[in-house]
């Protein structure tokens, strides 16, 4: 397992480094590459003295806009992919992710409420993530309640319950936004998902959640492997089933909440990344969880790079890009599941 983790993890990290280099090198401002990398290299402490010949505006574009956005895209992508891996592991369902379960939309209810009514700075930048986490957890409880029958969660109806709750909450968020004309443009753009206008402060906000969340999910990765056998078998093998479910769901919802509060509703990252990894490295969550962090960062970095450069200087919403990729992939998973079930019945 360690050899596979080293091999796949090393390849993914190398690809991520190359992607960072490419993403930093391109942007809507037509800046020569020597200037971009000259400015970045001269931010190093031992080279700062020679950075005076660049214009202050160019330095700000590279260090405050482009670099912070690249870092933030990787952090948001890692958070959403990890959340998807957590939900899929606990629920034993490859179709589960924060978006299809309605958790992302539930988080957006709290975030939209804070933004529309001007409460987003009550406790600083933490205000929106905290409320988004609460509404996300409430949404998760509602989805579980709708899919529960005879004391057990029906996996077959879980996604359907999530889609229903997502549709209802999506309409509620739209209603909230329409109540305030003063922030409607800002709120609608946020609902479609975007990293435009975000800064280093937002990167510093999400980083602690990942620093805590990644080790917790890795800690429970072996338990998620045993969940594949069923909760009763996992319990017989020594897994504390309820504590594992509670911890993984809380961490996954928390990662979703902070990502949604910063980037808006960016769908399908948690669906696409863990499932692709499952196809490549197999079903072992000791590989899927850590690799989801790296590959989620890679996936959203390229999605955001495409969003900000494809129609430059106009920017495409990040949620639109991920939906254009994720929705066909979701349809493929449904089709594949249907074919497998048909084959099993035949």
């Amino acid at each position: 397992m360690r050899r596979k983790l080293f091999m796949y993890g090393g390849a993914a990290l190398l690809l991520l480094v190359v992607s960072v280099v490419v993403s930093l090198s391109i942007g809507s401002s037509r800046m020569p590459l020597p200037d971009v990398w000259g400015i970045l290299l001269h931010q190093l402490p031992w080279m700062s003295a020679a950075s005076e010949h660049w214009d202050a505006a160019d330095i700000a574009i590279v260090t405050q806009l482009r670099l912070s956005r690249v870092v933030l895209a990787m952090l948001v992508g890692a958070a959403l992919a990890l959340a998807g891996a957590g939900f899929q592991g606990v629920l034993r369902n490859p179709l589960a992710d924060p978006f299809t379960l309605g958790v992302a939309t539930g988080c957006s209810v709290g975030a939209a409420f804070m933004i529309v009514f001007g409460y987003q700075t009550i406790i600083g930048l933490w205000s929106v993530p905290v409320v988004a986490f609460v509404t996300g957890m409430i949404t998760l409880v509602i989805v579980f309640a709708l899919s529960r029958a005879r004391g057990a969660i029906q996996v077959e109806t879980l996604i359907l319950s999530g889609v229903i709750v997502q549709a209802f909450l999506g309409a509620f968020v739209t209603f909230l936004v329409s109540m305030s004309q003063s922030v409607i443009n800002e709120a609608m753009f946020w609902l479609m998902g975007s990293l435009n206008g975000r800064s280093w402060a937002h990167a510093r906000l999400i980083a602690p959640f990942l620093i805590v969340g990644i080790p917790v999910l890795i800690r429970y990765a072996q338990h998620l492997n045993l969940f594949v056998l069923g909760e009763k078998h996992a319990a017989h093998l020594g897994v504390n089933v309820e504590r594992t479910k509670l911890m993984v769901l809380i961490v996954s919802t928390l990662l979703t909440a902070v990502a949604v509060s910063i980037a808006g509703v960016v769908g399908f990252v948690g669906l696409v990344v863990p499932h692709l990894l499952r196809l490549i490295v197999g079903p072992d969550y000791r590989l899927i969880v850590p690799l989801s962090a790296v590959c989620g960062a890679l996936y959203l970095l390229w999605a955001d790079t495409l969003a900000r450069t494809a129609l430059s200087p106009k920017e495409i919403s990040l949620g639109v890009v991920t939906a254009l990729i994720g929705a066909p992939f979701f349809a493929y998973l449904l089709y594949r599941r249907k074919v497998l079930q048909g084959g099993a019945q035949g």
Side-chain angles (χ1 to χ4, degrees):
M1 194 280 291
R2 288 186 177 179
R3 183 179 177 185
K4 290 180 71 175
L5 180 60
F6 180 78
M7 182 176 67
Y8 287 115
L13 284 172
L14 180 62
L15 193 56
L16 182 62
V17 171
V18 173
S19 301
V20 168
V21 171
V22 174
S23 183
L24 282 172
S25 302
I26 56 179
S28 57
S29 59
R30 307 295 180 187
M31 192 178 299
L33 282 182
D35 286 350
V36 173
W37 286 98
I39 290 171
L40 287 171
L41 291 174
H42 281 82
Q43 300 308 307
L44 299 173
W46 57 88
M47 300 183 72
S48 59
S51 63
E52 298 174 353
H53 66 279
W54 281 292
D55 187 81
D58 290 341
I59 295 175
I61 288 173
V62 174
T63 60
Q64 300 301 316
L65 298 180
R66 203 176 289 185
L67 181 59
S68 67
R69 184 158 175 167
V70 165
V71 172
L72 190 56
M74 291 191 294
L75 295 177
V76 171
L80 291 174
L82 279 168
F87 283 125
Q88 290 177 15
V90 167
L91 302 175
R92 307 191 301 279
N93 190 329
L95 301 179
D97 91 322
F99 189 74
T100 55
L101 289 175
V103 176
T105 310
C107 293
S108 72
V109 171
F113 178 84
M114 300 295 284
I115 292 173
V116 168
F117 293 101
Y119 299 141
Q120 64 267 41
T121 57
I122 291 179
I123 51 174
L125 286 175
W126 295 89
S127 305
V128 176
V130 168
V131 176
F133 171 68
V134 173
T135 54
M137 285 300 296
I138 293 173
T139 303
L140 190 63
V141 171
I142 293 173
V143 171
F144 277 14
L146 288 174
S147 60
R148 185 181 293 273
R150 299 176 183 175
I153 294 173
Q154 301 296 310
V155 177
E156 293 78 9
T157 60
L158 188 66
I159 300 300
L160 181 61
S161 302
V163 171
I164 293 171
V165 171
Q166 178 199 349
F168 175 78
L169 294 179
F172 186 70
V173 170
T174 303
F175 170 72
L176 274 178
V177 171
S178 66
M179 289 179 63
S180 176
Q181 294 295 327
S182 60
V183 296
I184 188 166
N185 289 333
E186 176 189 350
M188 289 302 294
F189 201 68
W190 170 77
L191 283 175
M192 291 188 290
S194 175
L195 293 176
N196 186 30
R198 307 307 188 265
S199 64
W200 283 109
H202 296 92
R204 288 193 291 269
L205 174 66
I206 192 173
F209 289 87
L210 283 166
I211 291 172
V212 174
I214 291 175
V216 171
L217 291 180
I218 290 176
R219 163 71 176 77
Y220 286 99
Q222 179 58 21
H223 294 183
L224 296 179
N225 285 339
L226 298 177
F227 267 43
V228 176
L229 304 173
E231 293 183 4
K232 288 184 180 178
H233 286 84
H236 290 155
L237 293 171
V239 174
N240 187 326
V241 172
E242 294 306 317
R243 185 173 67 185
T244 300
K245 288 165 62 178
L246 184 64
M247 289 300 297
V248 173
L249 289 176
I250 286 178
V251 171
S252 298
T253 304
L254 199 54
L255 290 171
T256 303
V258 69
V260 169
S261 65
I262 290 173
V265 182
V266 181
F268 297 106
V269 180
L271 174 72
V272 173
V273 175
H275 197 81
L276 279 177
L277 285 171
R278 194 174 291 107
L279 293 175
I280 297 171
V281 304
D284 191 340
Y285 276 91
R286 293 174 298 174
L287 295 172
I288 292 176
V289 170
L291 289 176
S292 288
V294 181
C295 294
L298 181 65
Y299 179 78
L300 206 66
L301 174 60
W302 274 111
D304 185 59
T305 302
L306 185 63
R308 63 185 172 85
T309 59
L311 298 179
S312 179
K314 181 175 287 186
E315 182 170 325
I316 308 172
S317 295
L318 182 57
V320 172
V321 177
T322 57
L324 287 174
I325 300 172
F329 190 77
F330 185 63
Y332 159 74
L333 291 181
L334 286 174
Y335 173 76
R336 187 169 179 267
R337 189 182 181 90
K338 183 180 178 181
V339 170
L340 290 176
Q341 288 177 344
Q345 290 173 358

